[in-house]
Amino acid sequence: MVGVAGRSKGCNTCRKRRVKCDEAKPQCYRCIKAGFECLGYERATQWRHSSIVPRPVSRQCVPELTESKRPVALGFAPPEELSLVAFESDVCTTYLFSNFVWKSYGSLWLDQAAQGKLGALSLDAVKALAQLSFGLSNRVKDLQLKGVAQYGRCLRILAEELGKDGAAAHGNERLMVPILVLMMVSAIQQDRTAATFHLKAIRKVLMLCGPEAFQRQPLRNAFEAARATLLTASLFSRRRTFLDDPHWQDVPWVLDRPTKTPQSQLLDILVAIPGLLEDDSHIENMSPHPNDEFIDPCLLSDEQSICRLELSSRIADQLKKLYRWRWDWQFDYGQYVTLDDLEWQSSSPAPAVLKAIANHGEPGRLKFRRAIYADDIMLYNATLMWLLALLWKLEPSRAASVIDECAHHAAASPMPLSARSSPTRSPHCTSFEPLRPPGACFSIREPAMEVCHVFDWQCRHHEQYTNFGDQTCLYLFPLGMARSVLDADLDILEWIDDMLDSNPVTTGYGRGGGSVVGFGSYITKQALGPDIKYEDVF
């Protein structure tokens, strides 16, 4: 209770962050170590009028009140016409959209579904998600039961729609939105069986409708969310996905190609990785010692050696595309990344760690013009970690030279048309400061640290995800990968946890153990080894 001593003794900052305070005076050590300003322990007293007796009415203002009347007893319950049940749906929906991760994942389509613009099933699915989310977070049992019941009704309707034959299933692309919403319900319930059903439903709708059905908004954003969802499942199962077909990477944007975002271009590269993982597993099964991390190349059969070289070549092709993407992004958006004037807290481990990795100068805090630019760099580094880890696993003796060759190839590739037609070339296009240029590192540790460096800015600017309405389908995915790479350094893990704990939406992410989509099993000692410094040729 506010203003009553003895109920909550933590500092105001820890109370706001909803974390346990160590109650040190005059400033708590948890705030100092996490880099937050401790706001102290003083509580502002709030005065509340709690009397049920009506205020006295002045007889001078109301002369007709000349007789004393018996006071009327006042009840605490509002009259029936003012019952809060009427506002229940609005409260739950507002709470749902306060989750910036879900809001950015469902940009355009989730909002229109909540307004009833995408059909009754989409609206009912959003109601189920909103009720269950609010009920679970605030321990309101009645709302939880309502959400579960609504979820069950939506599942029955969805099963009927998916069971129709081809002729009756015209317009099935509209089912993509309710399926995605119901997938979110299964996520908060941690129901793997239901999640598997929804993944199959997403795949079925995409295969039935084809990419042409998702050329217009908001269904194109729904397709992008579905693509990211299937991608994570394919990475986990190590099975290639039909989405790596160029047809699926081109047709949804054919009516308006300039609207294809840098993140969509990165997903075009990322969707090829499950196929690479599947082929890598096939090569491992050909070996008499599939679990041996260090295999003497002399012990490999000719067939295995050929398969390894062919797979390494395909990984290198994707790495060239990724490095070329980084050059193009730098030309278009590099000027929107600078160093922030805000200094690191003295207790933060970030400066020492970043300085050791950068090997020059005192590292500053990053600053982005918009959150979407930070998301681009995060996803770029996640894709880079996958490709580098695979190269080091397959060709540990040649990985460095392959990476070097890919970086030179990307630097020598023709500039985009916008760059060639520009009368002046931005200096940010060649310096890449304060970020790393493509090919500047060989180990996966450096991109993992850049992910943490970028997230330091993201965790302090969550409000931008609601202000601009940009879509981000894999918000925490890069940080989860970075955590797998850096899990041996306890100071870095504490820094990551403190950044995540700065917002209730992200609190506790990744603390359950394991690695994101099984990435940890591809991390080798060579990939984490001492970095071979790259001579800057740009």
Side-chain angles (χ1 to χ4, degrees):
M1 183 182 296
V2 177
V4 179
R7 289 300 177 92
S8 178
K9 298 180 180 180
C11 74
N12 292 321
T13 303
C14 289
R15 279 164 51 90
K16 185 176 180 181
R17 294 173 59 206
R18 300 182 182 180
V19 297
K20 183 174 179 60
C21 181
D22 56 29
E23 301 180 17
K25 305 291 178 63
Q27 293 181 321
C28 81
Y29 296 127
R30 184 175 188 120
C31 288
I32 295 174
K33 197 166 188 179
F36 291 94
E37 180 185 0
C38 184
L39 299 179
Y41 299 84
E42 184 177 353
R43 303 283 190 266
T45 303
Q46 295 185 3
W47 299 98
R48 296 176 180 174
H49 178 70
S50 60
S51 173
I52 63 173
V53 180
R55 296 182 180 181
V57 181
S58 172
R59 292 181 178 272
Q60 295 179 353
C61 298
V62 190
E64 64 271 22
L65 295 180
T66 56
E67 299 180 4
S68 62
K69 295 183 179 182
R70 182 177 298 176
V72 179
L74 299 180
F76 288 98
E80 184 177 353
E81 61 271 17
L82 293 180
S83 173
L84 295 179
V85 174
F87 305 98
E88 181 181 281
S89 178
D90 292 335
V91 171
C92 292
T93 304
T94 301
Y95 181 81
L96 168 65
F97 281 94
S98 68
N99 186 316
F100 67 91
V101 175
W102 285 350
K103 185 174 177 60
S104 60
Y105 173 80
S107 177
L108 290 183
W109 55 266
L110 187 60
D111 185 61
Q112 291 193 22
Q115 297 176 42
K117 296 181 179 180
L118 300 180
L121 182 57
S122 296
L123 177 60
D124 289 342
V126 171
K127 289 180 180 178
L129 176 62
Q131 290 173 334
L132 193 57
S133 174
F134 186 90
L136 288 172
S137 299
N138 298 277
R139 300 179 182 178
V140 183
K141 192 68 176 179
D142 182 52
L143 282 178
Q144 294 180 40
L145 295 175
K146 287 183 179 180
V148 171
Q150 182 81 338
Y151 177 58
R153 288 191 292 269
C154 291
L155 285 179
R156 289 191 293 271
I157 297 173
L158 179 61
E160 292 175 3
E161 291 293 328
L162 292 174
K164 294 179 179 179
D165 57 31
H170 177 70
N172 257 354
E173 65 273 9
R174 289 271 178 163
L175 293 178
M176 183 59 69
V177 170
I179 295 173
L180 289 171
V181 177
L182 296 177
M183 183 80 183
M184 296 159 74
V185 174
S186 67
I188 63 175
Q189 288 184 309
Q190 298 181 350
D191 187 343
R192 293 188 177 183
T193 302
T196 302
F197 169 78
H198 297 317
L199 285 171
K200 292 179 179 178
I202 291 173
R203 189 179 294 108
K204 181 176 181 178
V205 170
L206 288 176
M207 297 297 289
L208 283 174
C209 300
E212 294 82 3
F214 302 95
Q215 293 178 337
R216 301 184 185 279
Q217 294 289 19
L219 291 182
R220 193 171 64 203
N221 271 20
F223 163 74
E224 197 71 320
R227 183 163 74 140
T229 302
L230 288 181
L231 167 64
T232 55
S234 298
L235 287 170
F236 185 80
S237 64
R238 305 180 187 182
R239 297 287 182 86
R240 62 173 27 90
T241 170
F242 63 92
L243 294 171
D244 65 353
D245 189 320
H247 195 59
W248 284 96
Q249 301 173 15
D250 180 66
V251 173
W253 291 271
V254 74
L255 298 181
D256 194 5
R257 296 185 188 279
T259 60
K260 188 167 186 177
T261 65
Q263 283 195 54
S264 296
Q265 296 166 6
L266 280 175
L267 284 176
D268 291 346
I269 302 173
L270 202 51
V271 292
I273 293 180
L276 302 176
L277 300 181
E278 182 178 346
D279 293 341
D280 175 66
S281 298
H282 175 69
I283 294 173
E284 282 188 347
N285 292 333
M286 296 167 59
S287 171
H289 306 286
N291 297 321
D292 191 354
E293 183 179 320
F294 307 101
I295 300 177
D296 189 342
C298 298
L299 300 179
L300 297 176
S301 66
D302 292 341
E303 183 182 2
Q304 284 179 283
S305 299
I306 293 173
C307 289
R308 279 182 172 245
L309 288 174
E310 189 272 337
L311 182 56
S312 297
S313 177
R314 287 164 48 206
I315 296 172
D317 289 340
Q318 297 300 323
L319 187 58
K320 291 174 185 176
K321 292 180 184 178
L322 182 65
Y323 283 158
R324 186 62 251 176
W325 177 95
R326 184 65 181 87
W327 273 95
D328 295 343
W329 189 94
Q330 188 67 23
F331 180 85
D332 293 329
Y333 308 107
Q335 64 269 30
Y336 303 130
V337 187
T338 57
L339 287 176
D340 203 333
D341 294 332
L342 186 63
E343 295 183 356
W344 298 98
Q345 294 291 331
S346 58
S347 58
S348 174
V353 173
L354 292 171
K355 185 176 181 180
I357 296 249
N359 204 27
H360 63 82
E362 191 69 25
R365 306 182 86 168
L366 296 177
K367 181 179 181 181
F368 293 83
R369 178 75 64 85
R370 284 174 58 179
I372 193 66
Y373 303 144
D375 294 331
D376 292 344
I377 296 301
M378 292 274 284
L379 193 57
Y380 160 78
N381 279 291
T383 310
L384 180 59
M385 281 188 280
W386 268 114
L387 296 176
L388 294 184
L390 282 172
L391 274 177
W392 281 109
K393 182 175 183 292
L394 281 169
E395 299 283 347
S397 61
R398 296 180 57 247
S401 60
V402 173
I403 296 168
D404 191 20
E405 178 187 349
C406 292
H408 280 83
H409 182 276
S413 299
M415 292 185 298
L417 182 61
S418 59
R420 294 196 298 269
S421 60
S422 176
T424 58
R425 187 180 177 91
S426 169
H428 289 277
C429 188
T430 54
S431 70
F432 287 86
E433 292 292 341
L435 302 173
R436 283 180 167 270
C441 60
F442 290 85
S443 80
I444 60 175
R445 185 176 171 83
E446 282 63 37
M449 282 305 307
E450 188 160 273
V451 165
C452 298
H453 201 181
V454 174
F455 193 75
D456 170 69
W457 182 89
Q458 281 184 309
C459 71
R460 293 180 282 116
H461 297 85
H462 289 144
E463 73 284 349
Q464 288 205 17
Y465 290 93
T466 57
N467 295 341
F468 290 99
D470 296 317
Q471 186 177 30
T472 302
C473 299
L474 296 170
Y475 176 73
L476 291 173
F477 176 80
L479 191 66
M481 290 183 60
R483 190 187 188 100
S484 298
V485 175
L486 305 168
D487 64 350
D489 195 320
L490 297 181
D491 287 337
I492 298 179
L493 291 185
E494 184 177 358
W495 176 34
I496 293 174
D497 288 338
D498 285 335
M499 290 190 291
L500 289 169
D501 289 344
S502 65
N503 190 285
V505 173
T506 57
T507 296
Y509 174 76
R511 291 180 185 170
S515 60
V516 174
V517 295
F519 178 66
S521 61
Y522 292 90
I523 300 175
T524 61
K525 292 181 180 179
Q526 294 94 328
L528 290 171
D531 204 17
I532 306 168
K533 296 302 175 183
Y534 180 71
E535 295 298 331
D536 193 359
V537 297
F538 310 125

